[in-house]
Amino acid sequence: MSNVWKKVCSVHEIRDGLGACALVDNRQVALFLVNGQMFAVSNLDPFSGCNVISRGITGDLEGRIVVASPVYKQHFDLETGICLEDESVCLESYPVEVVDGRVMVMMPAIDWVA
């Protein structure tokens, strides 16, 4: 099975520097628009187990665009999902692009065969 691009929302629904959560294929995806660049990562904070990443604070740390989890404040690179404080932990990151003003996220194909 191949990955699939999904229409998520209008780019105008996301404010620069802030996150938004979208449910895409039954997965919570945190979307961020930072300095005109779009990012998509899992909304699940691997440290707290809570779906809160979209509520995190964005910024620049060590030359990387990051989001700080609102729970325990770990920083995640928005391009790779890697945690800066513990590189063995990362958020799932998704390819994202804006087409005709619509945010598109590439989701992995779901294999329904058990």
Side-chain angles (χ1 to χ4, degrees):
M1 298 191 89
S2 60
N3 296 337
V4 179
W5 285 101
K6 299 286 185 171
K7 292 180 186 174
V8 177
C9 63
S10 167
V11 71
H12 302 294
E13 296 179 76
I14 302 174
R15 299 175 106 183
D16 199 6
L18 299 178
C21 182
L23 188 61
V24 185
D25 284 350
N26 289 322
R27 299 178 197 192
Q28 289 193 26
V29 176
L31 301 168
F32 293 93
L33 180 64
V34 181
N35 299 329
Q37 189 173 358
M38 187 66 65
F39 301 94
V41 294
S42 170
N43 196 39
L44 181 64
D45 178 349
F47 292 97
S48 69
C50 299
N51 286 302
V52 294
I53 294 298
S54 62
R55 304 253 181 202
I57 297 172
T58 61
D60 182 306
L61 189 61
E62 301 173 1
R64 300 159 114 174
I65 300 173
V66 299
V67 59
S69 169
V71 180
Y72 297 124
K73 315 303 184 214
Q74 286 91 357
H75 299 90
F76 296 93
D77 184 313
L78 282 174
E79 288 189 38
T80 64
I82 294 174
C83 176
L84 273 58
E85 288 81 13
D86 181 351
E87 292 189 0
S88 69
V89 178
C90 69
L91 302 174
E92 189 169 3
S93 62
Y94 307 99
V96 61
E97 63 183 30
V98 177
V99 178
D100 296 329
R102 302 290 298 177
V103 176
M104 307 285 291
V105 177
M106 182 177 280
M107 299 301 291
I110 298 172
D111 184 7
W112 295 101
V113 178

